[in-house]
Amino acid sequence: MKKILCVLLSFILIFAMTVPAFAAVNMFETKSQIPVVVISGDGNTIYDKDEKPLSKLSGFFGNNGGASGDTDEAVKKLLGSAMHMYKEYLLEGIFKDNWEPFYAAIQEEVSKAFGDILLDENGEASNGTHISQWHRDQVEYSMNNDRKGDKGFYDRGDYFFWYDWRLDPMEIAKDFNEFIKAIKRVTGSEKVSIICRCLGTNVVCAYLEQFGSDDIYGVGFDGSVCMGAEPISEALSGKFKVDVVAIERILRDGNAFGTFDIDPFVISCIDLAQKSGIIDAYVGYKKATLYAKLVEGVTSALALSSISYPCYWACVKPSDFDTAVKYVFGKEGSEKYVKYAGLIEKITNYNEKVKKHIPELIKGLPENGVKVGVISKYGTQMIPTCQSANNIADTFVSVTSSSFGATTGTIYEPLSDEYIAAQQVKGLGKYISPDKNIDASTCLLPDNTWFIKGVRHSEWTYAEDMLLMTVVTSDRQLTIDDFDESQFMVKHPTDWWAMTAMTEENCNTENWEVDEKLDHPTTLPGKLLAFLTSFFNWFRELVRILRNKINSGE
């Protein structure tokens, strides 16, 4: 999956940038009499009107692949476009202070790489693009068949709602409502339950705002982005930041999870370049000369030519929304603002009607008798293109967002002893994670929220599904006290079935070590120590490579 690395690094470049045996409840024995609808996020390939798969380049925030050949070719086009733009337009910007042709060229050239997968200026699918016929057939079949069958119960995979993840969540929610009505009809059930993931949580919130929860028995949120996803929210609102040390950490995560295959020597070279001051000096020069001219125009052009999908805009936090709209589309009345008026209307409608009211929607569910479960994952490096890159996260969203409000430390600073002591005095000590990174007591639903460390955002393990399946189909609201395992769990690094209670002994699952004094030294002795440490690690990796070559006879 080297193409994922290529896409990520290309994006940064252009920006200049077992499952436990529960005593009270055993989730392996869940045999639901309530149909459960699963709705995920982006990932399924988009097709053109002739049923040919389009490049999945724009979906690198997701978890599934598109057509790999198309994606690889799109990456090549993207890099080629970048070279073309620098050659043709950058000098004009530098010497004539005329940057608009450069911004326009970026948007035009990058749009070519993404092709027909992009939406039009109204946020609508263009040129007849859609999800696959197979997915549409599956939705149609589910709407007309009771999948309980001879087994006599409903499984978590019986009813999947497939949809075009690029479109307006408010419109998708209308189709989702028809799907739920049909499932109720063909199964004879009074209500259905929902397990939603990633962008699917935006759709479910849009559904709840428009249609309420009368048809819903339970809702499980997993890796929720409906409170915002920082890499999208902050990038679109100008809070852009590239942290080289964070890039190293995400490469180490990729190696550990098998996403990348980067030799440690390469990572050590990046680290040495950063610790030697070369990268900081280069970035400092760019900031002093071109940064102010480049960043806003480039990020706006990139957004419009790559990720300006209404369902992605639904990941922008309300606090960032107005800034993001101005940042990407310009001032109200400007040429670009007028051109994209249809898209702006859609994303503003969602922000006003849904996004600003997420807390009330979520808290209102148990008040209306809906069974609710929330899973927040963490332990990996957040995408290193935003100012929140050091937050506790699952790669694409912070724990604070995905858990609906947990208080957390950062990668460098866990919750302080003073803070923990104060919470213990209040009788809230049980909500503190063993690694001292999370206080769950501040969540919207602290007793209905579980945390799993060592699972990335784009992983959806069997254990997660069964935990939520158990909660959203139970005859009563299950809480963290109903299971033998704790509110905080650790996933086995290779076994998707294994989930154990987090302890102080097993909580260090990260694929990297952090030391803020070495990563970001502020004093001259500190910088010298960081450089020498990095140089030693680099030299050790160099010796390893040379030894391997000698031993192999190369």
Side-chain angles (χ1 to χ4, degrees):
M1 298 192 57
K2 292 183 179 179
K3 63 178 182 289
I4 298 179
L5 173 62
C6 292
V7 173
L8 177 61
L9 294 183
S10 298
F11 196 74
I12 294 172
L13 173 64
I14 296 175
F15 264 73
M17 34 168 222
T18 310
V19 176
F22 294 120
V25 179
N26 189 331
M27 58 189 176
F28 282 117
E29 295 179 356
T30 300
K31 294 183 179 180
S32 176
Q33 296 302 308
I34 300 168
V36 178
V37 174
V38 177
I39 175 171
S40 295
D42 67 347
N44 50 296
T45 304
I46 300 299
Y47 288 76
D48 66 14
K49 63 182 185 306
D50 298 319
E51 293 298 323
K52 294 180 179 179
L54 296 172
S55 166
K56 184 58 175 58
L57 184 60
S58 59
F60 71 86
F61 284 107
N63 59 305
N64 297 322
S68 61
D70 290 344
T71 301
D72 292 338
E73 184 62 29
V75 171
K76 292 177 183 177
K77 289 182 180 179
L78 188 59
L79 294 174
S81 297
M83 296 302 296
H84 172 73
M85 289 180 291
Y86 276 102
K87 179 181 178 181
E88 298 293 330
Y89 301 104
L90 187 57
L91 291 179
E92 182 177 354
I94 294 173
F95 292 110
K96 297 183 180 180
D97 197 29
N98 181 18
W99 293 96
E100 288 305 319
F102 182 65
Y103 304 151
I106 289 176
Q107 185 173 338
E108 179 182 355
E109 292 294 329
V110 177
S111 294
K112 292 177 182 177
F114 283 82
D116 285 342
I117 197 172
L118 295 177
L119 303 179
D120 64 20
E121 60 269 22
N122 295 311
E124 301 287 352
S126 58
N127 301 321
T129 56
H130 52 252
I131 61 174
S132 72
Q133 185 63 52
W134 184 87
H135 284 132
R136 286 179 285 167
D137 290 344
Q138 287 296 305
V139 170
E140 183 70 20
Y141 183 85
S142 292
M143 294 175 71
N144 291 283
N145 289 274
D146 185 353
R147 291 188 177 238
K148 180 187 289 185
D150 294 336
K151 65 181 183 290
F153 60 90
Y154 295 105
D155 201 355
R156 76 193 197 288
D158 283 342
Y159 293 104
F160 265 84
F161 177 73
W162 301 101
Y163 64 102
D164 189 333
W165 46 266
R166 302 171 299 168
L167 304 180
D168 181 4
M170 301 294 275
E171 293 302 314
I172 299 170
K174 294 177 182 177
D175 292 335
F176 189 60
N177 178 54
E178 293 302 314
F179 188 76
I180 287 175
K181 295 289 188 185
I183 302 306
K184 286 179 55 183
R185 183 179 65 254
V186 299
T187 63
S189 300
E190 294 183 3
K191 296 175 182 287
V192 304
S193 287
I194 302 169
I195 293 177
C196 52
R197 309 162 175 164
C198 191
L199 295 182
T201 63
N202 291 334
V203 176
V204 168
C205 287
Y207 165 84
L208 293 171
E209 189 280 330
Q210 294 178 92
F211 303 104
S213 60
D214 289 347
D215 291 334
I216 307 304
Y217 186 86
V219 181
F221 296 89
D222 193 353
S224 171
V225 296
C226 59
M227 288 283 281
E230 287 79 2
I232 296 177
S233 186
E234 295 186 12
L236 292 180
S237 57
K239 299 177 183 177
F240 179 74
K241 177 182 178 182
V242 176
D243 185 336
V244 177
V245 179
I247 292 174
E248 293 175 41
R249 289 194 291 263
I250 206 164
L251 292 179
R252 294 184 188 278
D253 281 340
N255 276 353
F257 287 105
T259 306
F260 309 146
D261 184 17
I262 309 297
D263 192 286
F265 178 70
V266 175
I267 299 177
S268 71
C269 289
I270 297 173
D271 184 70
L272 182 60
Q274 194 269 337
K275 298 296 170 44
S276 67
I278 293 175
I279 292 178
D280 286 343
Y282 175 77
V283 172
Y285 169 75
K286 289 296 182 184
K287 284 185 177 181
T289 55
L290 301 178
Y291 190 83
K293 294 290 186 182
L294 286 175
V295 172
E296 184 167 352
V298 170
T299 51
S300 171
L302 280 171
L304 292 174
S305 59
S306 57
I307 63 170
S308 266
Y309 306 131
C311 215
Y312 275 9
W313 271 93
C315 298
V316 176
K317 297 182 177 182
S319 57
D320 289 334
F321 185 80
D322 291 339
T323 302
V325 170
K326 182 178 179 181
Y327 193 72
V328 173
F329 301 104
K331 295 180 180 179
E332 187 172 354
S334 67
E335 181 180 349
K336 188 180 292 185
Y337 194 98
V338 172
K339 178 180 179 181
Y340 289 94
L343 173 60
I344 294 171
E345 181 180 5
K346 284 182 172 64
I347 63 178
T348 301
N349 182 54
Y350 182 88
N351 184 65
E352 294 297 319
K353 291 185 177 180
V354 181
K355 199 73 176 182
K356 289 183 177 181
H357 305 288
I358 297 292
E360 302 98 279
L361 287 173
I362 302 304
K363 293 187 73 172
L365 290 172
E367 293 172 0
N368 293 332
V370 178
K371 315 299 184 293
V372 183
V374 179
I375 289 179
S376 176
K377 302 181 283 193
Y378 72 109
T380 56
Q381 170 63 48
M382 186 183 288
I383 293 294
T385 56
C386 63
Q387 295 177 7
S388 297
N390 290 335
N391 284 10
I392 305 298
D394 67 1
T395 306
F396 294 106
V397 60
S398 73
V399 164
T400 298
S401 295
S402 64
S403 67
F404 301 105
T407 299
T408 72
T410 67
I411 284 175
Y412 291 112
E413 295 183 16
L415 299 172
S416 68
D417 292 339
E418 292 78 12
Y419 177 90
I420 293 174
Q423 294 301 90
Q424 290 173 336
V425 169
K426 297 176 184 177
L428 301 175
K430 74 173 185 176
Y431 296 108
I432 304 294
S433 62
D435 61 5
K436 299 181 179 180
N437 277 324
I438 298 172
D439 175 12
S441 71
T442 58
C443 295
L444 289 179
L445 303 173
D447 293 316
N448 303 41
T449 306
W450 286 262
F451 300 83
I452 304 176
K453 192 171 186 181
V455 182
R456 294 173 297 169
H457 178 84
S458 55
E459 285 184 305
W460 314 102
T461 67
Y462 180 80
E464 295 169 64
D465 281 352
M466 292 311 296
L467 173 58
L468 290 180
M469 184 81 176
T470 303
V471 173
V472 302
T473 60
S474 176
D475 58 1
R476 60 187 177 87
Q477 175 63 64
L478 299 177
T479 71
I480 57 175
D481 296 324
D482 285 302
F483 298 90
D484 276 353
E485 304 298 343
S486 75
Q487 182 169 33
F488 304 95
M489 293 177 282
V490 174
K491 174 190 169 293
H492 190 279
T494 59
D495 186 355
W496 281 32
W497 293 69
M499 202 76 66
T500 58
M502 184 188 297
T503 66
E504 293 183 6
E505 288 71 34
N506 69 5
C507 66
N508 296 317
T509 67
E510 291 87 355
N511 303 299
W512 24 259
E513 295 181 1
V514 295
D515 185 331
E516 190 166 17
K517 292 182 179 179
L518 289 177
D519 288 346
H520 301 286
T522 57
T523 65
L524 182 59
K527 292 179 180 180
L528 180 60
L529 176 61
F531 169 74
L532 292 175
T533 301
S534 180
F535 180 81
F536 174 78
N537 291 333
W538 173 84
F539 186 75
R540 181 180 59 189
E541 292 298 335
L542 177 62
V543 170
R544 176 186 59 81
I545 287 179
L546 294 175
R547 182 183 294 115
N548 289 342
K549 287 185 176 293
I550 292 172
N551 292 338
S552 64
E554 295 181 9

